[in-house]
Amino acid sequence: MNCPECGAPDNLCQVRFDEFLVLEFTEAGYGAVHHLTVAAYMVQHSSKMTREGWEYERDLLRQFLVENKPPARIRKEMKDTVDSGKRTFKFKSKTGVPVINKTTWRKTILDVRAENAEVYCEDVTAWARSVLEEAEELRI
Ligand SMILES: [Zn+2]
């Protein structure tokens, strides 16, 4: 069965995501794009998110890729918001109902090659860019 959210064959997206997170935390060079991997995956799998959480992840992609904000700064802003109790919404969906009604994408996590850190970072960035473009076309 294909993933009902990103369209990856045999639901391989979840397996690949878990493998990539391990790579990012254990292999030098791979972790540089961790922020993109997580946000792109979450935007494509909106059933894991509340609507506010989904919009937040999409906006993160925009801040990383369009506004070129350094991940460390965004993480700090995020942490400040959470620590001060300013964040008033929940990220994780309890219902499992997708936020967006989209099942085909130009790129999925399966398009990311992982044989070395250089191609990995390049491919994750290309995937994240195409996810952002398509998410913005939805006009949510
Ligand atoms: Zn998927």
Side-chain angles (χ1 to χ4, degrees), residues 3-8 11-14 41 44-45 108-109:
C3 170
E5 298 195 77
C6 77
N11 287 317
L12 281 171
C13 45
Q14 174 80 57
Y41 187 80
Q44 282 190 320
H45 296 86
T108 71
I109 198 167

Side-chain angles (χ1 to χ4, degrees), residues 16-17 19-42 57 60-61 64-65 69-72 74-75 109 112-129:
R16 194 62 63 86
F17 181 64
E19 287 169 2
F20 282 177
L21 292 191
V22 173
L23 256 185
E24 289 175 358
F25 285 113
T26 54
E27 298 288 327
Y30 287 79
V33 289
H34 175 65
H35 54 293
L36 294 177
T37 310
V38 174
Y41 187 80
M42 290 305 163
E57 295 291 339
L60 274 183
L61 281 182
F64 293 138
L65 295 167
K69 278 201 199 174
I74 296 175
R75 263 197 299 274
I109 198 167
V112 175
R113 295 163 299 165
E115 52 265 36
N116 64 57
E118 199 187 349
V119 295
Y120 181 76
C121 293
E122 218 171 85
D123 284 2
V124 167
T125 305
W127 166 49
R129 264 187 208 291

Side-chain angles (χ1 to χ4, degrees), residues 32-134:
V33 289
H34 175 65
H35 54 293
L36 294 177
T37 310
V38 174
Y41 187 80
M42 290 305 163
V43 167
Q44 282 190 320
H45 296 86
S46 68
S47 69
K48 298 178 190 304
M49 315 290 297
T50 60
R51 186 185 176 97
E52 292 86 353
W54 186 87
E55 288 176 0
Y56 190 86
E57 295 291 339
R58 181 204 52 196
D59 292 348
L60 274 183
L61 281 182
R62 190 185 301 133
Q63 290 179 49
F64 293 138
L65 295 167
V66 180
E67 297 166 26
N68 289 314
K69 278 201 199 174
R73 196 170 120 209
I74 296 175
R75 263 197 299 274
K76 189 183 174 300
E77 287 173 7
M78 240 164 106
K79 195 175 169 296
D80 291 348
T81 310
V82 174
D83 288 352
S84 63
K86 273 189 222 139
R87 181 158 68 86
T88 52
F89 62 89
K90 300 248 176 288
F91 272 92
K92 289 205 172 142
S93 169
K94 286 202 175 79
T95 62
V97 177
V99 175
I100 54 171
N101 185 14
K102 180 170 172 62
T103 54
T104 55
W105 299 79
R106 287 195 292 272
K107 279 180 191 287
T108 71
I109 198 167
L110 299 193
D111 292 306
V112 175
R113 295 163 299 165
E115 52 265 36
N116 64 57
E118 199 187 349
V119 295
Y120 181 76
C121 293
E122 218 171 85
D123 284 2
V124 167
T125 305
W127 166 49
R129 264 187 208 291
S130 88
V131 169
L132 175 63
E133 268 173 34
E134 288 189 84

